[in-house]
Amino acid sequence: MSRRRFREMENNLPVNIHEYQELAKKALPKMHYDYINGGAEDEHTLRDNIAAYGRILLRPRVLVDVSNINMSTSLLGYDMPSPIIVAPTGSHKLANPEGEVATARAAASCNSIMVLSFSSSCRIEEVASSCSAIRFYQLYVFKNRDVSATLVRRAESHGFKAIVLTVDTPMLGRREADIRNKMVAPPNENLEGLMSFDDLDSTDGSKLEKYARDTLDPSLSWKDVEWLKSITSLPILLKGIVTAEDARKAVEVRAAGVIVSNHGARQLDYAPATISALEEVVKAVAGAVPVLVDGGVRRGTDVLKALALGARAVMVGRPVLFGLAARGEAGAKHVIEMLNRELELAMALCGCRSVAEVTRDRVLTEGDRLRALL
């Protein structure tokens, strides 16, 4: 990007997520931008998470009265003005000194649900007191179960309404940009007093990688969902499901919801793009629990495509961090608002007056086109 173009973007509000990403890249140290934007190994899935949306076409209906568009929906009994949720992403202070507090305020001002990451650089209590809003808490299971249990109790006691259990990280994916940059694990104030961080020196990779290797539990299994249910009364959503088999297992263990996610392509490279896996999961749960999706969302049309393929809500991660890095709380808020406006416009141009009218026949997937040739 030329310096002239960057100055123009600084002086004018970005008009899409791509422009916010350019500003974020310019604003952040390379190590921090690579940490936020990078994926695992060859980054095939990272690219495909976005590209797969581009392979889905919309099928608009015309001559529909779209003078009133209603984007509202609900999740776990909570009303939402739109199906867009702020996904759990870690270490927001790498993007802005106010960190997750700024993100929480941005989400609250849009009446959007925010999922606070276990890797938050702000304390659970600090985020909870920053504003009034519906929030969920994302959890990893540690080798020391007492650490996880303590975090759950703190989140529950401070008004968080659900636990989002990440199930795709028994070990950390190989994130080569972080290895090259010798990425340092950002401070996690929520873990102070719960575990030691004294021995994080690493000579053959990122310090973040060593931290994960020392703390995450590779024995994590379906029985741990039952353990988690035994220590909290909050509903539990499982994040990291991309196959029908695991979706059915999630229903069997009475999860409250399923999140189709490949961890932002940061874990297993060559896993399917989430939008490509969504319909398989939706069919497998057969309406038993709500299905959410994250990964690769950059446009309101992406949100509409996910809704048409059966998602109850769509989680947005990196774009909010791009906004936060570029313009702080105002940038994060603008990103959410922009996606909402784009979704509203896409619904109108597709002839959908409500989320309920965003049905499967409004999209044409690669599979649909192949089947049409048979």
Side-chain angles (χ1 to χ4, degrees):
M1 180 174 59
S2 69
R3 291 181 179 178
R4 178 181 177 184
R5 173 64 172 152
F6 181 70
R7 284 195 299 271
E8 289 174 352
M9 288 173 62
E10 282 185 314
N11 295 329
N12 298 287
L13 215 56
V15 299
N16 56 48
I17 302 300
H18 306 291
E19 291 185 359
Y20 264 114
Q21 182 172 355
E22 291 184 57
L23 287 177
K25 186 175 183 178
K26 187 75 174 181
L28 294 173
K30 183 179 185 302
M31 176 187 289
H32 295 171
Y33 177 79
D34 287 351
Y35 170 74
I36 290 170
N37 193 56
E41 297 185 348
D42 297 326
E43 298 188 336
H44 168 84
T45 299
L46 181 69
R47 294 186 295 272
D48 203 42
N49 267 353
I50 297 172
Y53 277 100
R55 297 193 291 269
I56 300 172
L57 303 180
L58 297 173
R59 300 183 68 248
R61 299 295 301 275
V62 298
L63 295 178
V64 177
D65 179 359
V66 291
S67 55
N68 183 27
I69 302 295
N70 182 2
M71 298 190 296
S72 66
T73 187
S74 64
L75 178 65
L76 303 182
Y78 298 105
D79 293 332
M80 303 159 55
S82 93
I84 295 172
I85 292 175
V86 177
T89 51
S91 308
H92 287 206
K93 284 187 179 180
L94 295 181
N96 181 274
E98 290 190 282
E100 286 79 4
V101 166
T103 307
R105 288 173 177 160
S109 67
C110 299
N111 294 315
S112 297
I113 292 175
M114 173 184 173
V115 184
L116 181 68
S117 171
F118 137 83
S119 300
S120 170
S121 46
C122 296
R123 292 178 62 83
I124 291 170
E125 295 79 3
E126 187 181 5
V127 175
S129 64
S130 67
C131 55
S132 177
I134 302 298
R135 279 182 290 270
F136 299 167
Y137 184 72
Q138 178 259 337
L139 180 75
Y140 289 104
V141 175
F142 292 90
K143 292 177 181 177
N144 182 350
R145 293 291 194 274
D146 289 342
V147 173
S148 298
T150 298
L151 293 172
V152 168
R153 285 193 292 268
R154 285 168 58 189
E156 188 166 4
S157 67
H158 284 84
F160 286 73
K161 302 302 184 184
I163 299 297
V164 173
L165 176 64
T166 292
V167 296
D168 60 3
T169 315
M171 300 179 182
L172 196 72
R174 184 175 172 80
R175 304 166 190 177
E176 294 179 359
D178 291 344
I179 294 171
R180 281 193 298 271
N181 294 331
K182 296 192 179 298
M183 177 66 191
V184 178
N188 189 330
E189 294 186 12
N190 287 303
L191 296 180
E192 286 183 0
L194 296 178
M195 58 174 56
S196 172
F197 301 94
D198 295 336
D199 184 25
L200 281 182
D201 288 334
S202 176
T203 58
D204 61 348
S206 71
K207 294 185 179 181
L208 180 66
E209 187 178 35
K210 185 180 188 304
Y211 161 73
R213 190 167 60 244
D214 290 348
T215 58
L216 296 180
D217 189 352
S219 74
L220 184 69
S221 67
W222 289 101
K223 64 180 173 59
D224 292 299
V225 179
E226 294 299 328
W227 166 79
L228 181 57
K229 291 173 68 175
S230 75
I231 66 169
T232 181
S233 61
L234 295 178
I236 298 167
L237 298 94
L238 302 187
K239 178 179 179 288
I241 305 290
V242 293
T243 64
E245 295 88 340
D246 283 342
R248 285 190 286 267
K249 286 283 291 183
V251 173
E252 289 174 15
V253 299
R254 300 187 305 282
V258 167
I259 302 173
V260 179
S261 173
N262 53 34
H263 213 108
R266 295 159 71 81
Q267 282 297 102
L268 177 65
D269 202 16
Y270 297 93
T274 49
I275 191 63
S276 302
L278 174 60
E279 195 166 23
E280 174 183 334
V281 172
V282 168
K283 289 179 179 178
V285 304
V289 296
V291 177
L292 291 72
V293 66
D294 73 4
V297 174
R298 297 296 183 270
R299 287 285 188 181
T301 47
D302 296 339
V303 178
L304 189 144
K305 292 170 185 180
L307 296 176
L309 291 172
R312 174 71 63 84
V314 176
M315 303 174 76
V316 179
R318 286 186 179 95
V320 175
L321 278 173
F322 295 152
L324 186 67
R327 298 180 55 241
E329 179 182 330
K333 178 182 177 182
H334 187 222
V335 164
I336 299 168
E337 291 174 333
M338 188 162 35
L339 287 172
N340 278 323
R341 285 195 297 269
E342 289 182 6
L343 173 60
E344 184 178 35
L345 177 60
M347 288 175 62
L349 294 179
C350 280
C352 300
R353 294 163 293 192
S354 68
V355 169
E357 292 186 355
V358 183
T359 49
R360 179 62 175 82
D361 60 353
R362 299 305 172 99
V363 293
L364 187 70
T365 67
E366 285 183 294
D368 294 335
R369 294 194 289 274
L370 288 172
R371 284 187 290 273
L373 297 174
L374 298 178

